[in-house]
Amino acid sequence: MADPNVAFYGFTPVPRDPDVLFDSHPTANGDHPKQDDYTVTDFPLPDSKIVREVRDFVQTYYLACLLHDIGTAERFLAATKLSFEFKGAIVARDLILNVGGVEDQADSVCDAIIRHQDIFVKGCIPTSLTLLPDVIDF
């Protein structure tokens, strides 16, 4: 009998190579990859004791993951000459602050977005970057 915790906690093995992992995924392939519109309410925080107890910490990770590619949206790409990471970081920071977020949290998310494509392996990164796989895959 398979251990249900393997899938529940994300231990199901998948190929590390993104070309293999996303080979048949509709959002990653073809001439017109599928791009669905989502809102923040489409991704509610899980209701669990640990999430409630560390909500602010988890919320920072959640925001970084949710917003890390916001700069690739056509309206932002067309409006700047900045790289998508930098434009997206600015957009995400402004969004968080405009809805009443804490500046330190907005800065942490902004930093994670700016550096999530950083391929260097020396030095240190903030813990908020460890959940963005682009950073640790290289």
Side-chain angles (χ1 to χ4, degrees):
M1 180 176 197
D3 182 350
N5 287 335
V6 169
F8 186 79
Y9 290 109
F11 288 108
T12 303
V14 297
R16 181 177 173 87
D17 182 343
D19 290 335
V20 174
L21 178 62
F22 298 114
D23 181 50
S24 61
H25 197 277
T27 64
N29 291 299
D31 293 334
H32 304 286
K34 183 179 177 185
Q35 297 286 323
D36 290 334
D37 290 327
Y38 293 104
T39 64
V40 171
T41 58
D42 292 325
F43 302 97
L45 288 172
D47 183 28
S48 68
K49 181 179 177 186
I50 193 166
V51 170
R52 288 189 301 273
E53 289 179 3
V54 295
R55 184 172 180 263
D56 291 340
F57 187 67
V58 169
Q59 187 179 48
T60 302
Y61 279 131
Y62 182 80
L63 289 170
C65 292
L66 183 66
L67 299 172
H68 81 277
D69 277 340
I70 195 169
T72 64
E74 187 175 331
R75 72 179 184 159
F76 300 127
L77 283 176
T80 187
K81 291 179 179 61
L82 293 172
S83 69
F84 79 91
E85 296 97 332
F86 289 93
K87 180 62 176 180
I90 294 166
V91 169
R93 185 180 189 280
D94 289 346
L95 173 70
I96 293 167
L97 293 174
N98 288 336
V99 297
V102 177
E103 188 168 13
D104 282 346
Q105 183 179 56
D107 288 347
S108 179
V109 171
C110 181
D111 187 55
I113 294 170
I114 287 172
R115 300 191 329 167
H116 89 277
Q117 292 281 351
D118 189 349
I119 62 170
F120 300 105
V121 294
K122 294 184 180 183
C124 298
I125 60 172
T127 54
S128 58
L129 287 177
T130 61
L131 286 183
L132 300 177
D134 296 339
V135 172
I136 58 174
D137 277 350
F138 291 98

